[in-house]
Amino acid sequence: MRTSLALCTCLSLCCCLYLPLCKSESKNTLQVHFGGGKFALRDKSVSPLLYQNAALSFFLAYKHEGPKKSDFFQLNTNRAVLSNQYGNTMLYRDFCFKNYSLYKTGQARLKWGWSNNNYLIFCEIPSYGNFNKRLSYVTSFGPALCYVECFNLFGKQLKAELPLDLQVLGFYIRPSYVSDSPEAYLAPNGNRISAFLASAGAFLSNQAWNAALNPGFSYILSSGNAVVIQYHYEYLCINRPEKLSKSSGIWTIGIKAML
Amino acid sequence: MKGFLLSVLVVLPVLLLTGCEQFLLSADPEDSPESNFEFLWQELNNKYAYFDHKNIDWHEVYQRYRTKIHSEMDEKALFEVLSQMMNELRDGHVNLISSFDQSRNWSWCLDYPANFDEMLVYTSYLGEDYDITGALHNQVIDSVLYVYYSSFASDITQAHLDELLEKLEGLKGLIIDVRNNGGGSGANAALLAAVLTEKAYIYGHSRVKIGPDPTDFSAWKNLTIRPADGKRFAGNVVLLCNRRSYSASNTFALMLKSRSNVCLMGDNTGGGGGIPAYGELPNGWKYRFSASQTIDLNGQQTEDGIVVDIPVALSSGDQAKGIDTIIEAALEHLKNNN
């Protein structure tokens, strides 16, 4: 918490001193980020208690910037050993594929468009003898926007970006007695895919929420590549059949390379 | 000034959200004797599968036990009351698990004869030179392969079964002994059953409790065994059971019950036909309960155990002479049916 606040303070001070100046960037870039942060998860199908802890994260992203449209594709995985206030643990892993298509507006600094999020969440509760491996999947679509500000600081080029997305429509698959282990108990040698589909539901605004905010600062090197510090906040909530809610805040540092 | 304000717009969300991840989710539920009691009662009301079958009035149980809960009671007193309430379910798959104790119900086996002496099996039948094929302890006795499987929690693989099937070539039959096998993974039971059939068959039906009414269930779903891809055995099989053959052993007995080449011998299995599921109370204690029902092809609940084809009891006189009456009966059965 203190480290995060210190970083934010530094970033704020930097922003106070900048001179606005935008320079055109490469059309195609590849970003690799590593980092860590905090995860908090409550899955009422498992426990009414909050499980939380530090998490490790990896991001790989590709961005194409055209004259009117930008496309952004991002692969992300997070790992953590979460625990509740009584010390019971849950092994957490997720894999996420997210993409944005953003269009330039009359405002040079603002782009808007749509986003798509594909989320696979895997939790394991080692102390549960059955149904201890739980898989949730979400595919959703929604509006997105990105605010971009470029500036000079002590003669160095910097860029601030604030992408934001809100998922409003899609579908999800939640763990249940039919989709989860021990599969052989209910359907020995059975068709796991059909059982899994039986656990699907519609991702609608009154049943599920997913929003993400990824403010970041790029320090642009003379080669045109950049070093990026980014904060990834995400909130996910699925109300049915039993409520799952997740909140995560991850700090990453990475490199943005021109292709 | 405009630039400053714009940059603050970028930084502000970070300031607001960093370190606050857990605060954006609601707080943990209240941890009091009353709240833990209510949570447990409600969860079981919604998810426990055998109220109807066992003729248990769970609302009446609530009235009786709610009066015993008060805010001043310590955690051991609370554990005692909640354990007693769960024991009303008379179910071996029902437990309350705390850091200091675990409640359980063993009425499904304690009131019945043992019909098993493990030392006798090892000294008189498996001998010193038996093979350990994964979790399957086996020995050829009078041209019959005897296999003792002590726990379905110990995994077996197709390679283990292929090895056993190779040994079975030219023998009169197979005895699988799951007496005192208290269960484990149903996947192991299905794997073993799959090498004992040449074609797919339905062996029972299962449904899951999905709501608060005692009759709220999913649709019945067929339980099927499909033959293994590799080696299989189509000869005569005797499955030895006793009242301590519980849970996955009970399911294994159900899988073999309808097979014409299989004879169930010994004592009826102990039951445990529901899939045990887990949960957690607001105070961190875990609980386990039966979340589903399983019936055989005649519609009988397997929670009450599987009835053997030939009841045989372990005679104390035989036991004293180093003879297992049930194994001897199985050997005789296979000799006469060849």
Side-chain angles (χ1 to χ4, degrees):
Chain A
M1 178 74 176
R2 259 186 292 175
T3 314
S4 302
L5 282 173
L7 272 167
C8 288
T9 309
C10 291
L11 290 171
S12 307
L13 285 170
C14 291
C15 290
C16 294
L17 297 169
Y18 76 79
L19 287 167
L21 177 73
C22 246
K23 229 179 178 180
S24 65
E25 214 184 314
S26 166
K27 297 288 183 192
N28 297 294
T29 55
L30 190 68
Q31 293 183 43
V32 181
H33 287 233
F34 292 95
K38 192 149 190 181
F39 260 72
L41 172 84
R42 176 179 284 114
D43 182 349
K44 286 191 174 174
S45 68
V46 170
S47 170
L49 301 171
L50 188 69
Y51 280 74
Q52 57 182 315
N53 210 341
L56 285 174
S57 298
F58 172 74
F59 291 80
L60 178 67
Y62 168 79
K63 188 177 184 181
H64 169 75
E65 280 200 64
K68 290 183 179 174
K69 183 187 171 197
S70 300
D71 291 306
F72 180 75
F73 304 93
Q74 178 181 273
L75 285 167
N76 164 226
T77 181
N78 300 290
R79 283 177 178 234
V81 180
L82 307 177
S83 59
N84 67 18
Q85 60 167 315
Y86 301 101
N88 299 333
T89 57
M90 174 192 288
L91 310 178
Y92 176 91
R93 261 175 283 169
D94 69 29
F95 301 91
C96 180
F97 175 67
K98 178 176 272 192
N99 58 77
Y100 287 86
S101 286
L102 297 168
Y103 300 87
K104 288 185 177 164
T105 64
Q107 281 279 332
R109 295 182 177 99
L110 195 65
K111 297 172 186 176
W112 67 272
W114 60 272
S115 65
N116 161 236
N117 198 7
N118 306 277
Y119 223 134
L120 187 67
I121 298 171
F122 178 76
C123 296
E124 183 176 354
I125 308 103
S127 58
Y128 285 13
N130 285 320
F131 308 114
N132 53 352
K133 293 172 182 165
R134 307 182 73 81
L135 207 59
S136 301
Y137 178 78
V138 178
T139 282
S140 54
F141 299 86
L145 60 85
C146 184
Y147 176 79
V148 184
E149 189 74 38
C150 301
F151 54 93
N152 266 349
L153 181 67
F154 304 126
K156 303 291 182 189
Q157 291 176 51
L158 293 166
K159 184 177 176 184
E161 283 183 286
L162 177 58
L164 170 69
D165 68 81
L166 177 67
Q167 307 295 315
V168 292
L169 192 64
F171 73 95
Y172 59 81
I173 297 172
R174 287 279 289 130
S176 71
Y177 296 130
V178 287
S179 70
D180 246 334
S181 60
E183 59 184 306
Y185 231 118
L186 269 184
N189 312 321
N191 184 345
R192 191 172 170 86
I193 293 171
S194 64
F196 212 80
L197 289 175
S199 302
F203 188 106
L204 302 169
S205 295
N206 61 333
Q207 292 173 20
W209 289 95
N210 180 211
L213 194 63
N214 304 290
F217 285 85
S218 304
Y219 170 68
I220 300 165
L221 306 170
S222 54
S223 61
N225 297 332
V227 176
V228 185
I229 294 174
Q230 199 162 14
Y231 179 72
H232 307 260
Y233 177 77
E234 182 152 37
Y235 177 78
L236 172 69
C237 171
I238 301 172
N239 286 324
R240 292 179 186 173
E242 288 173 292
K243 188 174 180 177
L244 174 142
S245 47
K246 181 185 87 71
S247 175
S248 60
I250 302 292
W251 279 100
T252 61
I253 184 158
I255 290 174
K256 187 191 289 184
M258 291 192 304
L259 296 176
Chain B
M1 187 59 190
K2 187 184 168 195
F4 170 74
L5 289 173
L6 289 172
S7 66
V8 166
L9 272 178
V10 176
V11 174
L12 197 59
V14 182
L15 287 172
L16 289 174
L17 294 169
T18 301
C20 298
E21 294 81 21
Q22 69 273 33
F23 300 121
L24 295 172
L25 305 182
S26 55
D28 278 344
E30 181 196 353
D31 171 18
S32 67
E34 293 90 340
S35 65
N36 284 296
F37 172 85
E38 296 287 345
F39 187 91
L40 179 62
W41 184 89
Q42 197 63 52
E43 281 284 292
L44 292 172
N45 188 51
N46 291 338
K47 297 176 180 176
Y48 182 69
Y50 288 111
F51 292 128
D52 209 24
H53 173 64
K54 295 183 177 180
N55 202 21
I56 296 167
D57 183 346
W58 195 235
H59 290 267
E60 183 275 326
V61 171
Y62 176 93
Q63 298 300 336
R64 214 156 11 101
Y65 283 88
R66 181 64 184 85
T67 56
K68 300 179 182 180
I69 301 290
H70 50 89
S71 54
E72 293 81 27
M73 66 198 306
D74 65 20
E75 60 174 8
K76 292 198 173 169
L78 176 65
F79 184 87
E80 189 61 32
V81 175
L82 297 184
S83 299
Q84 286 169 8
M85 182 176 79
M86 294 179 86
N87 278 339
E88 297 274 351
L89 301 172
R90 309 186 303 276
D91 190 325
H93 276 153
V94 169
N95 304 95
L96 182 64
I97 305 153
S98 73
S99 58
F100 52 85
D101 201 0
Q102 176 173 327
S103 76
R104 67 269 176 195
N105 180 291
W106 283 3
S107 59
W108 47 274
C109 68
L110 289 179
D111 300 336
Y112 299 88
N115 283 317
F116 184 67
D117 180 346
E118 191 178 53
M119 188 59 78
L120 191 61
V121 167
Y122 278 96
T123 53
S124 300
Y125 295 92
L126 285 170
E128 289 181 357
D129 59 345
Y130 66 91
D131 291 338
I132 301 173
T133 312
L136 305 168
H137 293 195
N138 58 94
Q139 177 68 280
V140 176
I141 306 166
D142 294 341
S143 298
V144 168
L145 184 65
Y146 170 80
V147 178
Y148 173 49
Y149 193 0
S150 61
S151 171
F152 279 103
S154 304
D155 285 341
I156 53 172
T157 65
Q158 192 60 46
H160 296 141
L161 297 176
D162 286 346
E163 179 65 27
L164 288 189
L165 293 169
E166 204 167 297
K167 278 185 204 168
L168 263 170
E169 284 173 16
L171 297 183
K172 290 177 187 166
L174 170 66
I175 297 172
I176 303 172
D177 193 344
V178 293
R179 288 178 295 171
N180 276 32
N181 183 329
S185 168
N188 290 324
L191 197 64
L192 190 49
V195 300
L196 301 176
T197 182
E198 294 293 326
K199 57 181 183 181
Y201 65 96
I202 294 168
Y203 66 89
H205 311 280
S206 182
R207 63 179 184 177
V208 177
K209 181 80 162 32
I210 53 171
D213 191 272
T215 57
D216 284 341
F217 283 94
S218 64
W220 287 108
K221 181 178 174 177
N222 288 340
L223 299 170
T224 308
I225 292 291
R226 291 188 172 79
D229 291 333
K231 292 177 184 171
R232 295 186 292 271
F233 180 69
N236 289 328
V237 179
V238 175
L239 178 68
L240 307 186
C241 317
N242 67 355
R243 290 296 301 197
R244 283 180 181 260
S245 302
Y246 191 74
S247 192
S249 293
N250 194 66
T251 305
F252 184 59
L254 175 67
M255 289 170 178
L256 300 194
K257 174 77 177 169
S258 60
R259 307 299 300 150
S260 59
N261 61 326
V262 179
C263 174
L264 271 58
M265 198 176 278
D267 196 0
N268 299 346
T269 59
I275 302 173
Y278 288 74
E280 199 169 40
L281 295 182
N283 64 0
W285 294 349
K286 293 188 178 69
Y287 56 92
R288 189 172 83 136
F289 60 95
S290 296
S292 72
Q293 290 185 346
T294 306
I295 54 170
D296 66 15
L297 297 176
N298 299 316
Q300 293 297 312
Q301 289 282 353
T302 64
E303 174 68 359
D304 306 325
I306 308 294
V307 177
V308 291
D309 300 310
I310 304 177
V312 182
L314 179 62
S315 141
S316 54
D318 283 348
Q319 199 177 352
K321 291 180 210 159
I323 295 169
D324 186 317
T325 322
I326 301 170
I327 294 178
E328 293 296 335
L331 290 168
E332 190 66 19
H333 176 84
L334 289 171
K335 199 186 295 176
N336 296 336
N337 284 278
N338 246 291

